[in-house]
Amino acid sequence: MDLILCHTTADFDALGAAVGLTCLLPGSKIVLTGGAHPPVRDFLALRRDEYALIERRSVNPEKIRSLTVVDTQQRDRLGKAAEWLDLPQLDNITVYDHHLGQVSDIPATQSHIAPVGATTTLIVEQLQQQQISLTPAQATAMALGIHVDTGSLTYDQSTPRDALALAWLMQQGASLAVISNYREPGLSPQLQRLLKEALEQLEYLCFRGYTIAWVTLKTEVFVPGLSSLASQLMELTEIDALLLAGEYPLSKDESRLTIIGRSQIPSVHLDQLFHTFGGGGHSQASSLNLRGVNTQNILQQLLDGIKTSIPHPPTARDLMSSPVRTIRPETTIGEAQRILLRYGHSGLSVVDSQGQLVGIISRRDLDIAFHHGFSHAPVKGYMTINLKTITPDTTLPQIESLMVTYDIGRLPVLENGQLVGIVTRTDVLRELHQAEGKSRGEGQPRLEHSVQLPSLEQLRDRLTPQLWQLLTTASQAAEQRGWHLYLVGGAVRDLLLAEAASGTLFITDIDLVVDGFHQAADVGAGVELAKALQEIYPAARLEIHGAFQTAALLWHKDPKLDSLWVDIATARTEFYPYPAANPEVEASSIRQDLYRRDFTINALALRLTSPRAGELLDFFGGLLDLQAKQIRVLHANSFIEDPTRIYRGVRFAVRFGFDIESRTEEYIRYAINSGVYDRTAQTNTKTPALQTRLKAELKHILEAAYWELALKLLDDLGALQCIHPTLKLDPELLRQLRLLERCWRRFDAQKKLILWQMRLEVLIAHLAPQYRHKVAKNLQLPEDSIERSHKLAAAKSEVRDFLVISKQPSQIVQVLRKYDVEMLILIAISSSRIIRRQIWHYLTVLSHIQPMLNGNDLKKLGYKPSPRFRQMLDDILAATLDGVVHNQEEAEDFLAKHYPV
């Protein structure tokens, strides 16, 4: 166990440095050795599950391998955890700090101490050197550490290194809204006096879940810094919007009015409201200056404008995950842990035999119980029973308040006493993040070349009318049933990548996901929707397949929809029982459905149904990765569970001209070098990800124009080992594949050969003969392909030996016509130039020469049909090939001489 220790009463710099170190040291855990500053506590109350935090009491000291101490060099600042510094089994102790001139009493094996404004900056620089990417949550925690310890780069100890680190963290997606909520700017003595006055006079209004406040401060002269005072008021009072009016006299009869506006409400755009009165600024921060006006009148107009801008807030029904994974009170600690591992949850709801909610148990509770040896104990002894619950109509602000006030990570949603869903910290953070993006004008995220995600209205112009109509019809059918419908995966990705000037976009392969459990839809929702659509589009063929009733609508050369393929499924999650297996799937939420996908750029969803039609769901940073032109996997075990994702990642990288993100490449190489694929193939009879699904990915790659670049990248990654451990793309194999390209163009004018399959056969043929047949069968190639792989060695030997001694064309034809074109091409491209030329000559010339006579001619000459006909015609053909017979008359003479009537 590798631990990262924060000092007691941890501040944001200690937390930010620790979070960054979990990225540098994968698998390490953070221990808050003795509490945290109040702002840090509030921050973690909502975001604890985003970081690798564990309780000090759940640590088994005997399993500690290394310790890393951040933001201190004194062991007495580590509380009781300081005892771990003396453990004999430690491999190393590392210290990171930015406080110079201190005498350390920590027995460090490594120290990283430098004159920067924040310890977090030192971690950022190492992350940059190793090209490690962060999640927005990680970047936000680290940016807070630098902001708070440098006073947002205003303190004397701030350095250019801190500024560069902050800039990089912003590129990684650090949330400015969250940072502004938790940093602590100071106020001048004059502003501090006004702050006290403002707090006493502040008036409040609660409206649709948001708190709006306003106050008027009258002073004798102009007071600078009212904007800082407004920010401080926002932090101290936890209000959502503020109007701070400052009024002072210019003369006996005239006064000057300054109004500072602040808002954290996504839909409120203060710049537009203030513009009406000649002011301006940003959507969340604006100001105006007026003379000789009625202060209360202006404030009332601005208040009315803010209220008009606030929509009804999202409710628990919009946020919750459903169905809820539940267990019984009698379930053991060990079994509950296995369920959490299988589904990736951070907690489980406990229900009795009547389905009534009786408790909740978190991962932390399970970890502590397991640590103390109670894996066989029932969860009822460890679950939380004094529960806070909400209804489907509970608003987002109310949910957020409950979570922060009571440090609750998940809130059960009850309707008529029944558990219908659960809202987690992640659900709240997702909604807050999306609201934050909209408040910054990022409702339609901007990518390179000013490409934007189209709004729902713009989609109408971006897609062909018939495709837009199909999506509209599908969304209306889903809404009628009370379901949500999402366009997911590649179609959303392609919409983002498409150039705005390219005209309408017709997508031939569409994935739709129904998330209907909020209205008690069952796992057959996707099928029901597909059947409803087929009634409207009778030309489509309906296919229903899979254990979870997924459905597909297929059109074939339709006048309007061409050969469109639409997959419709109910949102689901998946679990791999062993590496390379087919996943086991269960109905779940849209978030879990997206999490089971391969890469962030394919884990995007666009909501098609009201009331939030056009909303983009991006839980995993897919937009940032599209902008960075990189392929990033969703989770570390992805390639171990499914090796076909390696091939998909390479295909996307080459197709779009993207890079494979460095950590993702590390995961690929680790999975390949671990030997897990060989082990799972030896212990399991069915490994679809190394068989049929691998063949499907190979087909996509080998039939594409970029096949050569893709194979080179696969070879560089070592991924051709998934086909066979000995397969390498050496110069000889590459030469053979290029020769195949020439053969295809020269000998297959009618395009009868299946080119991608021939390329795969060339790859298999490059293996040692004893492996070929097994690999071809493993990939479940057609029988003729498997037969060729089995007989190739013998056929090549026979052809080579015979052609070396053959002088007459008829002899060449006699041996080569026994083989199909595919076999001859495989032999030719792997043989010497002399042999290859003879096979080329056969395929282009000799194979097209016909005998001068046929069966009807023989009958006319008086021969009675008999088995001899075949031999007679073969002899005439041989004579023709060898130049003995040149025309029909000579053929008849030849026949009369050798086969008299």
Side-chain angles (χ1 to χ4, degrees):
M1 180 181 291
D2 301 312
L3 297 182
I4 301 164
L5 306 183
C6 299
H7 54 70
T8 54
T9 319
D11 57 15
F12 275 116
D13 190 28
L15 177 65
V19 167
L21 280 167
T22 61
C23 301
L24 286 171
L25 306 171
S28 58
K29 304 294 183 182
I30 302 170
V31 177
L32 302 180
T33 59
H37 281 186
V40 177
R41 281 204 312 270
D42 292 343
F43 177 84
L44 290 177
L46 190 59
R47 296 166 173 83
R48 182 182 301 274
D49 293 339
E50 299 286 336
Y51 310 112
L53 288 160
I54 61 172
E55 302 282 347
R56 178 177 56 80
R57 56 181 175 165
S58 69
V59 174
N60 183 349
E62 296 178 359
K63 294 185 178 180
I64 300 175
R65 295 183 305 178
S66 71
L67 294 173
T68 303
V69 180
V70 296
D71 205 33
T72 185
Q73 301 171 53
Q74 310 300 318
R75 62 186 299 147
D76 62 1
R77 295 204 64 199
L78 298 178
K80 292 184 178 180
E83 299 171 358
W84 298 340
L85 296 170
D86 302 319
L87 293 172
Q89 78 271 16
L90 293 182
D91 294 333
N92 60 280
I93 300 173
T94 305
V95 171
Y96 286 85
D97 195 20
H98 69 124
H99 301 102
L100 301 181
Q102 294 190 1
V103 178
S104 175
D105 58 356
I106 293 176
T109 54
Q110 297 182 60
S111 294
H112 302 272
I113 303 170
V116 291
T119 302
T120 304
T121 297
L122 302 178
I123 312 301
V124 168
E125 290 172 343
Q126 291 196 12
L127 290 169
Q128 289 177 291
Q129 290 171 5
Q130 298 187 30
Q131 298 183 333
I132 295 175
S133 299
L134 304 178
T135 66
Q138 292 166 339
T140 299
M142 297 182 73
L144 263 171
I146 299 176
H147 268 287
V148 172
D149 254 35
T150 66
S152 295
L153 304 178
T154 61
Y155 295 163
D156 290 341
Q157 68 265 29
S158 303
T159 69
R161 292 168 65 179
D162 301 299
L164 291 172
L166 270 179
W168 183 77
L169 291 170
M170 289 178 66
Q171 291 175 338
Q172 296 293 303
S175 170
L176 297 182
V178 174
I179 292 168
S180 67
N181 282 341
Y182 291 95
R183 64 183 176 85
E184 301 172 334
L187 294 177
S188 66
Q190 185 180 26
L191 288 176
Q192 289 180 24
R193 289 192 295 271
L194 287 176
L195 173 63
K196 180 181 179 181
E197 182 180 338
L199 289 171
E200 293 172 350
Q201 299 180 17
L202 206 60
E203 297 183 73
Y204 297 89
L205 168 69
C206 291
F207 185 77
R208 291 180 178 172
Y210 293 103
T211 301
I212 308 168
W214 65 96
V215 66
T216 301
L217 299 174
K218 295 185 178 182
T219 60
E220 296 299 323
V221 295
F222 169 72
V223 177
L226 286 181
S227 59
S228 296
L229 177 58
S231 298
Q232 191 72 28
L233 277 171
M234 290 287 288
E235 293 185 11
L236 291 174
T237 57
E238 297 184 352
I239 55 181
D240 300 298
L242 169 69
L243 295 174
L244 171 63
E247 185 179 349
Y248 66 95
L250 290 175
S251 64
K252 183 179 180 180
D253 300 318
E254 186 180 26
S255 62
R256 183 182 180 97
L257 172 66
T258 297
I259 298 182
I260 306 294
R262 293 288 185 268
S263 171
Q264 296 177 344
I265 305 173
S267 59
V268 173
H269 298 282
L270 292 177
D271 51 346
Q272 298 175 14
L273 291 175
F274 278 52
H275 180 72
T276 306
F277 301 95
H282 304 286
S283 61
Q284 291 185 300
S286 292
S287 63
L288 61 83
N289 293 286
L290 299 171
R291 291 188 179 192
V293 295
N294 185 304
T295 299
Q296 296 308 311
N297 184 35
I298 300 296
L299 280 175
Q300 187 60 52
Q301 292 183 59
L302 290 172
L303 283 170
D304 291 343
I306 291 174
K307 290 164 62 178
T308 303
S309 302
I310 299 176
H312 289 282
T315 63
R317 190 182 298 279
D318 299 314
L319 303 175
M320 69 188 187
S321 298
S322 180
V324 183
R325 193 72 51 198
T326 61
I327 56 175
R328 293 290 181 86
E330 297 78 23
T331 305
T332 65
I333 295 292
E335 180 59 25
Q337 275 202 324
R338 284 190 289 272
I339 293 172
L340 284 185
L341 173 65
R342 175 173 180 139
Y343 297 106
H345 295 339
S346 58
L348 292 169
S349 299
V350 186
V351 298
D352 60 19
S353 57
Q354 284 75 44
Q356 298 293 307
L357 181 69
V358 294
I360 282 183
I361 189 160
S362 70
R363 184 184 297 276
R364 280 186 289 171
D365 298 330
L366 291 171
D367 286 344
I368 292 171
F370 193 85
H371 166 70
H372 290 298
F374 291 99
S375 61
H376 298 292
V379 298
K380 63 184 178 182
Y382 296 85
M383 67 186 185
T384 300
I385 56 176
N386 297 320
L387 301 178
K388 298 292 181 182
T389 63
I390 55 178
T391 70
D393 297 323
T394 305
T395 64
L396 174 61
Q398 292 170 325
I399 293 169
E400 184 181 3
S401 176
L402 280 172
M403 286 185 169
V404 172
T405 301
Y406 297 101
D407 191 13
I408 300 172
R410 55 200 60 79
L411 286 168
V413 184
L414 301 182
E415 187 171 32
N416 298 324
Q418 295 297 310
L419 181 64
V420 295
I422 194 160
V423 176
T424 67
R425 287 190 181 102
T426 300
D427 298 321
V428 172
L429 287 172
R430 178 186 73 232
E431 187 64 33
L432 293 175
H433 173 71
Q434 291 176 346
E436 172 201 337
K438 292 175 182 176
S439 70
R440 294 201 308 261
E442 295 176 359
Q444 310 303 328
R446 185 175 296 276
L447 301 181
E448 284 195 353
H449 310 302
S450 298
V451 178
Q452 292 179 280
L453 173 68
S455 66
L456 204 61
E457 292 75 20
Q458 291 169 322
L459 269 176
R460 185 182 298 109
D461 301 325
R462 297 295 302 279
L463 296 173
T464 57
Q466 56 270 34
L467 192 52
W468 169 258
Q469 182 58 51
L470 173 66
L471 294 178
T472 301
T473 302
S475 64
Q476 290 171 348
E479 285 180 7
Q480 290 171 3
R481 292 162 174 78
W483 302 336
H484 301 320
L485 184 67
Y486 297 89
L487 178 68
V488 300
V492 181
R493 177 200 66 220
D494 292 344
L495 279 171
L496 287 166
L497 291 175
E499 293 288 347
S502 63
T504 56
L505 182 67
F506 188 86
I507 302 171
T508 58
D509 191 353
I510 287 178
D511 286 328
L512 298 176
V513 170
V514 180
D515 186 8
F517 285 91
H518 300 182
Q519 296 293 335
D522 59 22
V523 294
V527 172
E528 182 179 337
L529 182 60
K531 288 179 177 179
L533 287 176
Q534 193 195 29
E535 293 181 3
I536 302 171
Y537 294 93
R541 185 173 86 253
L542 174 65
E543 290 185 357
I544 300 173
H545 47 82
F548 260 78
Q549 294 286 291
T550 58
L553 290 173
L554 297 86
W555 286 261
H556 181 65
K557 295 182 178 179
D558 185 81
K560 293 183 178 179
L561 295 173
D562 196 18
S563 297
L564 177 64
W565 183 306
V566 178
D567 271 311
I568 306 176
T570 307
R572 51 204 167 139
T573 188
E574 66 184 21
F575 175 78
Y576 286 82
Y578 55 86
N582 274 333
E584 297 174 3
V585 294
E586 296 183 9
S588 187
S589 64
I590 182 64
R591 189 180 191 281
Q592 288 292 323
D593 190 274
L594 294 175
Y595 182 69
R596 72 184 180 84
R597 295 171 188 269
D598 45 21
F599 303 101
T600 59
I601 63 171
N602 294 330
L604 299 163
L606 188 69
R607 182 162 168 169
L608 300 175
T609 45
S610 298
R612 293 150 69 186
E615 176 186 37
L616 179 74
L617 274 60
D618 177 20
F619 303 123
F620 313 109
L623 283 172
L624 288 174
D625 288 329
L626 281 176
Q627 186 171 14
K629 294 188 174 181
Q630 67 178 8
I631 304 297
R632 181 165 60 87
V633 75
L634 261 65
H635 46 89
N637 290 319
S638 184
F639 301 118
I640 288 177
E641 292 178 336
D642 187 354
T644 62
R645 288 174 175 156
I646 300 174
Y647 282 68
R648 283 202 295 279
V650 166
R651 175 159 58 91
F652 293 135
V654 176
R655 174 184 168 190
F656 298 125
F658 285 14
D659 294 322
I660 296 178
E661 182 251 351
S662 58
R663 184 53 64 91
T664 298
E665 181 176 335
E666 290 177 13
Y667 291 147
I668 291 174
R669 294 188 185 278
Y670 175 80
I672 293 169
N673 296 330
S674 68
V676 65
Y677 303 145
D678 291 336
R679 292 195 299 273
T680 194
Q682 291 171 8
T683 56
N684 299 281
T685 56
K686 291 185 178 181
T687 53
L690 294 170
Q691 297 171 323
T692 52
R693 299 211 316 269
L694 178 58
K695 181 183 74 172
E697 284 303 320
L698 282 165
K699 178 179 183 293
H700 286 308
I701 289 173
L702 295 175
E703 68 184 2
Y706 49 75
W707 65 268
E708 184 173 334
L709 288 174
L711 285 181
K712 287 180 178 178
L713 182 51
L714 286 169
D715 182 61
D716 177 67
L717 293 168
L720 292 179
Q721 294 181 38
C722 295
I723 300 174
H724 192 270
T726 65
L727 185 58
K728 287 283 188 181
L729 188 67
D730 56 34
E732 173 58 24
L733 177 54
L734 195 54
R735 184 188 68 83
Q736 292 178 20
L737 287 164
R738 289 168 179 167
L739 280 173
L740 173 65
E741 199 79 8
R742 290 168 54 189
C743 294
W744 176 68
R745 292 193 179 97
R746 188 171 183 182
F747 307 130
D748 193 30
Q750 297 181 350
K751 301 297 182 285
K752 293 182 179 180
L753 294 178
I754 304 174
L755 183 58
W756 75 266
Q757 187 172 295
M758 282 300 300
R759 286 178 176 142
L760 181 53
E761 289 190 40
V762 172
L763 294 177
I764 295 172
H766 197 61
L767 299 171
Q770 65 267 30
Y771 302 135
R772 296 169 185 165
H773 184 248
K774 182 178 180 181
V775 171
K777 286 190 68 177
N778 184 63
L779 292 175
Q780 299 182 19
L781 293 181
E783 286 300 323
D784 59 333
S785 295
I786 296 174
E787 190 71 9
R788 277 193 294 273
S789 70
H790 183 56
K791 295 182 176 179
L792 176 59
K796 182 178 178 180
S797 178
E798 179 185 11
V799 168
R800 183 187 60 210
D801 293 344
F802 194 86
L803 290 184
V804 168
I805 63 172
S806 297
K807 303 301 180 183
Q808 298 295 332
S810 60
Q811 295 174 319
I812 296 174
V813 171
Q814 183 180 6
V815 69
L816 295 187
R817 69 180 180 181
K818 295 189 299 183
Y819 303 107
D820 57 27
V821 174
E822 291 90 340
M823 178 70 90
L824 292 176
I825 289 175
L826 290 174
I827 294 171
I829 63 177
S830 60
S831 299
S832 66
R833 181 174 296 180
I834 294 175
I835 301 296
R836 189 162 62 250
R837 283 178 175 174
Q838 287 177 291
I839 295 176
W840 285 180
H841 184 61
Y842 166 76
L843 290 173
T844 56
V845 178
L846 299 181
S847 65
H848 299 290
I849 296 176
Q850 299 296 321
M852 293 295 177
L853 300 175
N854 58 34
N856 290 328
D857 295 327
L858 296 184
K859 292 177 185 178
K860 291 178 182 178
L861 292 174
Y863 293 97
K864 293 182 179 180
S866 71
R868 286 201 311 165
F869 267 32
R870 179 71 266 166
Q871 185 61 50
M872 293 164 68
L873 293 174
D874 284 346
D875 288 347
I876 294 173
L877 175 61
T880 304
L881 289 166
D882 295 338
V884 175
V885 169
H886 300 89
N887 53 49
Q888 186 170 347
E889 183 179 350
E890 291 180 359
E892 291 175 359
D893 291 342
F894 176 86
L895 200 60
K897 178 179 179 181
H898 293 86
Y899 294 95
V901 178

